[in-house]
Amino acid sequence: MVGMDVSVPVRVKPGASRAQVGGRHDGPHGPALVVAVNAPPLDGRATEAARKALAGALGVRPGSVTLKLGAASRDKVFLVEDAPEALTATVTELRDGG
């Protein structure tokens, strides 16, 4: 079965002491999943680290996750292409601790 494309609002916290995916931030794109990364907010490094961390946390290949909105912002929207059916439940669990 072919998956669907899912938009995932994310709040990136660059320069964190440890990388972590989990938690909620009510941002401009709605309830967002918090992604803390070690990378600094320089030259897109934090965005790239967040993309890879998000893919790992969701159990999808990094190539299926692309930035949709927010290149220069901590509030971003990533698009997960051909996402498995359970992806939205996984995002909700990571975001809301469900």
Side-chain angles (χ1 to χ4, degrees):
M1 182 177 154
V2 176
M4 59 184 178
D5 294 351
V6 176
S7 292
V8 181
V10 167
R11 171 68 171 202
V12 177
K13 292 189 172 182
S17 57
R18 64 186 181 114
Q20 183 176 348
V21 178
R24 179 186 178 114
H25 173 80
D26 291 316
H29 308 296
L33 177 61
V34 176
V35 178
V37 295
N38 301 111
L42 229 67
D43 302 326
R45 284 189 268 178
T47 298
E48 180 61 13
R51 185 183 71 80
K52 289 178 179 174
L54 181 63
L58 298 178
V60 298
R61 55 185 185 78
S64 68
V65 179
T66 55
L67 182 65
K68 186 175 171 183
L69 289 171
S73 171
R74 290 175 189 229
D75 294 300
K76 303 179 183 301
V77 177
F78 286 95
L79 180 68
V80 181
E81 296 174 4
D82 199 24
E85 217 173 287
L87 186 104
T88 52
T90 302
V91 169
T92 301
E93 189 175 313
L94 287 167
R95 185 188 65 212
D96 299 332

